[in-house]
Amino acid sequence: MKTRTFSVIVLVVVLALLTVVPEAAATQTQSRSIWRNYTNGNYVYDLAVEGDYVWAATGGGVVRWNRTDGTYVKYTAADGLAANCVYAIAIDEADHKWFGTWGGVSEFDGSSWTTYTTADGLADNRVNAIAIDGAGHKWFGTDGGVSEFDGSTWTTYTRADGLADNVVRAIAIDEADHKWFGTHGGVSEFNGSTWTTYTTADGLADNYVTAIAIHGAGHKWFGTYGGVSEFDGSTWTTYTTADGLAHNYVFAIAIDGAGHKWFGTGGGVSEFDGSTWTTYTTAD
């Protein structure tokens, strides 16, 4: 009798487990299905303006703000972006947006996304800078060199071709259609056939170049980890904290309509009107 009772108890327990375990598994599956991913868009690495819209490249995707009403749209890898860490933006003549991410290059035509990676011909999937030349060719500065894309063909340039260093942080194109690349090994100029590199030996403030801006008359301005250098085609002039620059780490440069230079640094924003320096910090 005891044996039969024990068998009945075991059978009841087994039946209970067969009933409970699937329910538990279903609950776990259901829990997994309600996960949501959130990204942080507070780290802004690049900006582009398109009419009433401002596009921001952030560490958590791309954000498009409407300046007229304050509304915004956020795009992430879930929408088709190559990666959520976005370092560069450029907008072409067809209003297509090009995003340099740490997962490749993404093109957005307003409705569809197209991504290009090393599998397509990109030098490296870590993309730090983008520029578009007069012919509509896109130039991408990556951690593995510079890639040019004409819409169908990819061409890559590295140190083996004459580039100062394969890590490229900034690109600018001058009025002669020469391309200027800020690298971790100096500045390289490419005229379409010949490469010329400038380093501290030539007068550059530092070989770690993070920003480039071009101001009329062929003057180039370079932001480095040792100050700002101006190059007029023959002479180099460097400005540091000793001259009035807020900080010697310079990450961004812009030039306004009056020809004033604005520098984003590790210690605030510095404005230079050609003779006087003015610095703005959180206190302002």
Side-chain angles (χ1 to χ4, degrees), residues 30 97 146:
Q30 184 178 6
K97 288 75 187 175
V146 172

Side-chain angles (χ1 to χ4, degrees), residues 8-192:
V8 171
I9 292 172
V10 170
L11 178 61
V12 170
V13 171
V14 170
L15 289 173
L17 286 174
L18 288 174
T19 303
V20 172
V21 170
E23 288 180 353
T27 301
Q28 289 176 2
T29 302
Q30 184 178 6
S31 297
R32 291 193 189 100
S33 69
I34 62 172
W35 280 95
R36 298 290 184 270
N37 293 319
Y38 299 90
T39 60
N40 185 348
N42 287 334
Y43 288 89
V44 180
Y45 300 106
D46 198 12
L47 295 167
V49 177
E50 179 198 21
D52 289 332
Y53 295 114
V54 175
W55 293 80
T58 83
V62 173
V63 180
R64 188 197 71 183
W65 281 288
N66 187 322
R67 293 188 292 168
T68 61
D69 59 17
T71 59
Y72 70 90
V73 178
K74 190 174 187 179
Y75 302 95
T76 68
D79 301 291
L81 191 63
N84 286 332
C85 197
V86 186
Y87 277 87
I89 303 176
I91 302 175
D92 65 22
E93 290 187 351
D95 285 333
H96 289 203
K97 288 75 187 175
W98 296 80
F99 304 103
T101 83
W102 274 25
V105 171
S106 287
E107 176 190 5
F108 182 50
D109 65 8
S111 58
S112 300
W113 292 84
T114 305
T115 290
Y116 306 92
T117 67
T118 53
D120 302 288
L122 186 65
D124 191 273
N125 286 337
R126 288 193 171 191
V127 182
N128 309 305
I130 306 174
I132 302 174
D133 66 22
H137 293 200
K138 285 74 182 178
W139 295 79
F140 304 99
T142 80
D143 276 10
V146 172
S147 287
E148 175 190 7
F149 182 51
D150 66 6
S152 58
T153 303
W154 290 84
T155 305
T156 290
Y157 305 92
T158 66
R159 290 181 62 183
D161 301 289
L163 188 64
D165 189 87
N166 284 341
V167 178
V168 181
R169 295 288 302 278
I171 306 174
I173 301 173
D174 66 22
E175 63 281 356
D177 208 35
H178 290 199
K179 285 75 183 177
W180 295 79
F181 304 101
T183 81
H184 282 193
V187 172
S188 287
E189 175 190 6
F190 182 52
N191 66 9

